[in-house]
Amino acid sequence: MRFLYVFLVVIFLGCKNNSSENILEIESISTEKPEYANGFYVTHFSNYSELTINSPWPESDKVYKYAMVNRKIAASITFPNDRYDAIITTPIDKLIVTSTTHLPALDYLNETNSLVGFPELNYISNPQIRERISGGLIQEIGKNESLNTEKILNISPELVMGFSIDGTSKTFETIKNAGIPVLFNGDWTEKSPLGKAEWIKVFGLLFEKKQKSDSIFNSIEKQYNEAKSLASKAEHSPTAISGALYQDIWYLPYGTSPEGQLMNDANINYLWSDTKGSGSLGLSFETVLEKGENAELWLNPSNLISKTNLLKSNPHYSQFAAFKTDNIYTMGNTVGETGGVLYYELGIARPDLVLKDLIKIGHPELLPDYKFTFFQKLPN
């Protein structure tokens, strides 16, 4: 009888020790919240990390949770089926991303070799990635509004990083049902320039390069704040308008948008700086002309690439003082070898460089030797 008791105790303890290796650690060690970004945060456990995406698209009430677990121990941890939207093994080796704004993080973390697919490859400007495209190492996967599901499944990436306007993508559902995790990147929904840039920390988790991603962001933050401090020393704050007409509506950024904040931090007197909202403010031509006719600067006249194009689009543009004084600046003419606009790839990741461009435009005496990264004066 004693032998049976000892035997049962041994069996019980053996089962207990074995099961403890297969159950996730549910008591968190720490929670790490970004300083500027509002769309994600990270909770660290003893044997894995939990990434929470709480703003995958504007006005979303959906929250996504992802378990980030090292591939060497992933098989030894059992996660409840309903706890996470996806289990992501790290570091990632094969990745598909769907926005050019995701690419700079791969470059800065020396992980461009992980990219195996992208929609509409011509939009990519990064030289290293273009070399991989030329070598057939990155495949075209259709367009964002109609991703080629069959190609994605054939590539068999470890992760697809996507973005969504409203969370109704059938393609992403098909990919998830095939066992490939889909992570929603909400960098574009952030309310501040540095908030957008801080999403590099998500990539740091994916590649297990947290220290490096933190260091990169800290450098960007430092350079941004130094440039902002420099701009504040300017004695004159030039007035500015932004945008242009599209189908009889003039679209321009709200004052509280990231674009509005950049102009404010560059000590540029944006004439709609007191407006609140995100995205674009829609006004009539007459309203903009009445308020902005004498503005000293005109920034980002839509996708119009020359003053000739402006006049062809609407001859009344010539009434603006900035047109007459040749003080119109655009980011649309700085493109990669296949025509991708550099700002749409690098601008979100490097708000410090966008800010320096704006300071160069508004206060050239403060940055006499600086060369534009994104902006150019609109040619004739």
Side-chain angles (χ1 to χ4, degrees), residues 36-39 55 57-59 186-196 199 255-261 277-279:
Y36 301 92
N38 296 312
S55 184
W57 52 83
E59 300 179 5
D187 59 3
W188 61 287
T189 69
E190 293 292 342
K191 302 291 191 290
S192 71
L194 286 172
K196 291 175 181 286
W199 277 75
T256 55
S257 69
E259 295 78 15
Q261 292 175 50
S278 58

Side-chain angles (χ1 to χ4, degrees), residues 63-286:
V63 174
Y64 288 90
K65 287 186 178 292
Y66 305 91
M68 305 281 195
V69 57
N70 181 274
R71 64 178 66 252
K72 292 180 181 179
I73 65 169
S76 68
I77 302 177
T78 301
F79 294 92
N81 292 333
D82 58 349
R83 183 177 177 92
Y84 292 111
D85 292 280
I87 311 300
I88 300 172
T89 55
T90 60
I92 295 291
D93 287 327
K94 290 177 64 179
L95 174 70
I96 285 177
V97 302
T98 55
S99 170
T100 52
T101 64
H102 305 159
L103 300 174
L106 303 183
D107 186 11
Y108 291 149
L109 294 173
N110 297 320
E111 293 291 347
T112 54
N113 287 349
S114 68
L115 185 65
V116 292
F118 188 85
E120 299 185 272
L121 294 174
N122 284 344
Y123 285 130
I124 297 177
S125 300
N126 182 280
Q128 286 182 302
I129 298 178
R130 289 236 58 87
E131 186 175 339
R132 287 179 55 78
I133 293 170
S134 299
L137 299 173
I138 301 174
Q139 294 190 39
E140 171 85 53
I141 57 167
K143 299 182 178 181
N144 260 315
E145 60 272 19
S146 55
L147 294 174
N148 189 321
T149 308
E150 184 178 354
K151 260 195 170 181
I152 292 172
L153 297 182
N154 285 337
I155 294 171
S156 189
E158 295 172 333
L159 176 71
V160 173
M161 178 172 284
F163 67 93
S164 178
I165 305 298
D166 55 13
T168 59
S169 171
K170 292 182 179 178
T171 299
F172 287 148
E173 288 301 317
T174 301
I175 294 169
K176 287 191 286 186
N177 289 336
I180 299 172
V182 175
L183 190 154
F184 287 102
N185 187 316
D187 59 3
W188 61 287
T189 69
E190 293 292 342
K191 302 291 191 290
S192 71
L194 286 172
K196 291 175 181 286
E198 201 166 10
W199 277 75
I200 191 174
K201 294 179 179 180
V202 171
F203 289 87
L205 283 174
L206 293 174
F207 296 110
E208 295 190 356
K209 291 185 174 181
K210 180 184 183 304
Q211 186 174 357
K212 185 168 186 176
S213 65
D214 287 353
S215 176
I216 291 167
F217 176 75
N218 291 342
S219 176
I220 292 169
E221 177 193 25
K222 181 175 182 290
Q223 293 179 70
Y224 187 98
N225 288 330
E226 287 176 350
K228 178 181 176 180
S229 178
L230 177 66
S232 69
K233 295 178 172 61
E235 296 180 359
H236 174 62
S237 182
T239 53
I241 61 173
S242 183
L245 287 171
Y246 177 74
Q247 296 182 350
D248 297 326
I249 301 294
W250 191 305
Y251 291 101
L252 61 166
Y254 282 98
T256 55
S257 69
E259 295 78 15
Q261 292 175 50
L262 279 160
M263 286 185 274
N264 182 65
D265 289 347
N267 198 3
I268 290 174
N269 180 13
Y270 176 48
L271 295 178
W272 281 270
S273 63
D274 60 344
T275 57
K276 297 180 180 180
S278 58
S280 297
L281 178 67
L283 301 173
S284 67
F285 178 89
E286 293 74 19

Side-chain angles (χ1 to χ4, degrees), residues 339-351:
V341 176
L342 181 62
Y343 172 77
Y344 296 138
E345 181 172 322
L346 188 59
I348 281 182
R350 294 301 305 271

